[in-house]
């Protein structure tokens, strides 16, 4: 008898991206959003094969894009056997239902994709609870989409069909689970608060920044630890705290979840407790990927998110990381002869607009000692003010 062999390898899902260019956005800006969305898809394990965009005054209420564009997408999806279509903005439950009915493939929006990545990255009980809460809050208004096979059965007095009762049952179960998860998060928050109280004697420093800028690499460099670092979005989801000693000054360094543009509001709400380390820090280290073509937008996004978290008026050191990968041409800087040296960086508009600032390469260990000295001086200043009679520094 001839032996049969089966391929058990997980097939990489083929993905199509869809974006709408409104009068508020430029084509270049939407292109950049879609490139970031492609990176999110890659992080989730998918393969982006094509991108569709359409200029509209505002997204169509029923199908997000126009019917002509939706037909074009459908033709491509069928011809190329596409598995998933991802939209760059959050879809309403009715939009998702209509698009899914038309395209007959899995439909995701940016929020759903980010939640999927968060779910795969969560390690601790707190992160898992926060992700599950966000997923249920996202699912709740979209429940009807899961029960369309019962949609012909009408409800009403004396005619309550199984479709209606099943949706109501599911809704009640989800609301109960959301309530339970919120209570669990409150308990975890109280436990974390107790832990933080026990650490109050030490100065606390928090790494903040856009996702994938090198925060975990800097954390590993300073703390000599092994926090998971990877060239993917949201490699770190759980807050990590390590004790660091520079010369004779000990302090606590925390690595937090990265920020991203168009981050759904309910996700920010769910992760507020994780970001308590940021709120209670004495010093913020704002890490910026200087090699990214639009790092200024990323700085703005981080500052706006910090403002939403009511984290203002804290001493902040801006660390421009990845100077080894910096390309002046990406930023319209005309270099005729020699490449930029450290002196050029220190006298640039980047340093002046974000002072105090320092330029480093965490992977190449370039200018790292100067960064440690700057951080040491900042921690020492606060330590001396808080504990004027502490002989630790003398």
């Amino acid at each position: 008898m001839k032996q049969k062999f089966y391929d058990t390898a997980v097939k990489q899902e083929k993905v199509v991206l869809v974006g709408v260019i409104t009068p508020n956005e430029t084509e270049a800006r939407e292109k950049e959003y879609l490139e970031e969305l492609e990176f999110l898809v890659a992080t989730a394990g998918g393969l982006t094969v094509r991108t569709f965009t359409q200029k509209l005054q505002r997204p169509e209420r029923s199908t997000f894009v126009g019917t002509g564009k939706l037909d074009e997408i459908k033709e491509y999806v069928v011809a190329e056997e596409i598995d998933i279509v991802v939209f760059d903005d959050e879809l309403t439950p009715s939009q998702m239902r209509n698009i899914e009915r038309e395209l007959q493939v899995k439909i995701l929006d940016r929020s759903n994709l980010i939640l999927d990545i968060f779910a795969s990255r969560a390690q601790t009980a707190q992160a898992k609870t926060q992700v599950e809460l966000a997923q249920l809050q996202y699912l709740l208004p979209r429940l009807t989409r899961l029960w369309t096979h019962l949609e012909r059965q009408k409800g009403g007095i004396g005619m309550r069909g199984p479709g209606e009762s099943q949706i109501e049952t599911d809704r009640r179960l989800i609301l109960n689970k959301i309530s339970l998860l919120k209570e669990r998060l409150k308990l975890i928050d109280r436990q974390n608060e107790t832990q933080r109280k026990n650490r109050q004697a030490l100065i606390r420093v928090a790494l903040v920044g856009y996702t994938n800028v090198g925060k975990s690499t800097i954390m590993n460099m300073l703390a000599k630890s092994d926090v998971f670092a990877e060239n993917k979005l949201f490699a770190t989801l759980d807050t990590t705290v390590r004790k660091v000693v520079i010369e004779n000054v000990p302090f606590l360094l925390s690595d937090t979840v990265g920020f991203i543009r168009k981050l759904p509001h309910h996700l920010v709400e769910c992760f507020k407790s994780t970001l308590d380390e940021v709120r209670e820090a004495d010093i913020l280290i704002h890490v910026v990927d200087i090699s990214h073509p639009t790092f200024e937008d990323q700085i703005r996004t981080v500052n706006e998110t910090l403002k939403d978290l009511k984290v203002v008026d804290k001493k902040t050191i801006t660390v421009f990381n990845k100077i080894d990968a910096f390309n002046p041409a990406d930023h319209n800087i005309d270099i005729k002869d020699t490449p930029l040296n450290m002196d050029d960086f220190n006298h640039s508009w980047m340093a002046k607009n974000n002072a105090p600032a320092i330029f480093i390469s965490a992977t190449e260990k370039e200018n790292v000692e100067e960064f440690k000295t700057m951080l040491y001086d900042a921690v020492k200043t606060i330590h001396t003010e808080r504990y004027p009679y502490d002989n630790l520094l003398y």
Side-chain angles (χ1 to χ4, degrees), residues 211-244:
T211 183
N212 198 43
V213 293
K215 295 186 296 297
S216 296
T217 307
I218 290 173
M219 175 83 166
N220 292 337
M221 178 187 74
L222 290 173
K224 298 179 176 65
S225 59
D226 54 356
V227 175
F228 181 63
E230 190 181 12
N231 185 30
K232 284 189 176 177
L233 302 177
F234 303 114
T236 304
L237 199 60
D238 304 288
T239 299
T240 311
V241 182
R242 294 284 184 271
K243 183 179 177 182
V244 178

Side-chain angles (χ1 to χ4, degrees), residues 196 202-208 252 254 256 275-285 311-315 382 386:
R196 284 195 293 270
L202 289 173
I203 305 300
R204 282 149 72 178
V205 180
L207 290 158
V208 297
L252 292 172
S254 57
T256 57
L275 295 163
D276 277 342
E277 292 291 344
V278 176
R279 268 199 293 270
E280 297 183 18
D282 300 294
I283 300 168
L284 299 181
I285 298 175
V311 179
V312 287
D313 302 327
K314 283 193 186 289
K315 180 170 181 59
I382 295 175
R386 193 173 293 174

Side-chain angles (χ1 to χ4, degrees), residues 152-365:
R152 289 192 188 133
Q153 303 193 18
K154 305 292 181 189
I157 296 172
M159 294 192 57
R160 298 198 183 276
E164 184 189 22
S165 62
Q166 184 63 60
I167 289 167
E168 290 306 316
T169 304
D170 285 1
R171 186 171 282 124
R172 189 177 66 254
L173 288 171
I174 287 178
L175 285 168
N176 289 344
K177 190 73 193 275
I178 285 173
S179 178
L180 186 74
L181 290 171
K182 283 182 175 175
E183 287 302 314
R184 195 183 298 168
L185 273 179
K186 281 180 188 172
L187 177 66
I188 294 170
D189 282 349
R190 285 199 294 274
Q191 292 168 347
N192 289 347
E193 204 175 318
T194 306
Q195 287 177 353
R196 284 195 293 270
K197 276 179 185 169
N198 296 335
R199 302 194 294 242
Q200 274 179 346
L202 289 173
I203 305 300
R204 282 149 72 178
V205 180
L207 290 158
V208 297
Y210 209 76
T211 183
N212 198 43
V213 293
K215 295 186 296 297
S216 296
T217 307
I218 290 173
M219 175 83 166
N220 292 337
M221 178 187 74
L222 290 173
K224 298 179 176 65
S225 59
D226 54 356
V227 175
F228 181 63
E230 190 181 12
N231 185 30
K232 284 189 176 177
L233 302 177
F234 303 114
T236 304
L237 199 60
D238 304 288
T239 299
T240 311
V241 182
R242 294 284 184 271
K243 183 179 177 182
V244 178
V245 181
I246 298 179
E247 292 187 31
N248 55 345
V249 178
F251 61 90
L252 292 172
L253 181 66
S254 57
D255 182 18
T256 57
V257 60
F259 304 140
I260 196 167
R261 276 171 301 216
K262 297 187 181 180
L263 189 64
H265 181 70
H266 62 270
L267 263 182
V268 176
E269 285 296 315
C270 290
F271 278 81
K272 270 186 176 172
S273 53
T274 304
L275 295 163
D276 277 342
E277 292 291 344
V278 176
R279 268 199 293 270
E280 297 183 18
D282 300 294
I283 300 168
L284 299 181
I285 298 175
H286 182 174
V287 185
V288 178
D289 175 5
I290 197 173
S291 68
H292 197 281
T294 57
F295 69 82
E296 297 150 84
D297 285 340
Q298 294 187 351
I299 291 173
R300 205 172 299 117
T301 300
V302 172
N303 289 338
E304 284 168 5
T305 310
L306 290 173
K307 200 174 172 183
D308 289 344
L309 293 167
K310 295 181 173 56
V311 179
V312 287
D313 302 327
K314 283 193 186 289
K315 180 170 181 59
T316 304
I317 298 170
T318 306
V319 177
F320 288 96
N321 189 26
K322 306 188 186 182
I323 56 170
D324 54 308
F326 179 74
N327 181 11
D330 289 340
H331 308 277
N332 300 319
I333 299 173
D334 188 22
I335 302 293
K336 289 191 170 55
D337 36 32
T338 56
L340 289 173
N341 57 35
M342 197 55 67
D343 204 44
D344 294 324
F345 280 122
N346 291 333
H347 289 91
S348 66
W349 58 268
M350 295 173 279
K352 288 170 187 168
N353 292 351
N354 299 281
I358 192 155
F359 299 82
I360 70 163
S361 168
T363 51
E364 300 297 319
K365 305 288 187 289

Side-chain angles (χ1 to χ4, degrees), residues 13 16 77 82-87 96 99-100 103-108 112 116 145:
E13 291 178 297
V16 160
V77 163
I82 300 300
D83 301 297
I84 306 172
V85 178
V86 182
F87 287 76
M96 195 168 272
I99 296 166
E100 208 164 59
L103 300 184
Q104 295 293 309
V105 291
K106 195 194 300 180
I107 306 297
L108 297 178
N112 211 334
D116 185 74
R145 183 171 141 255

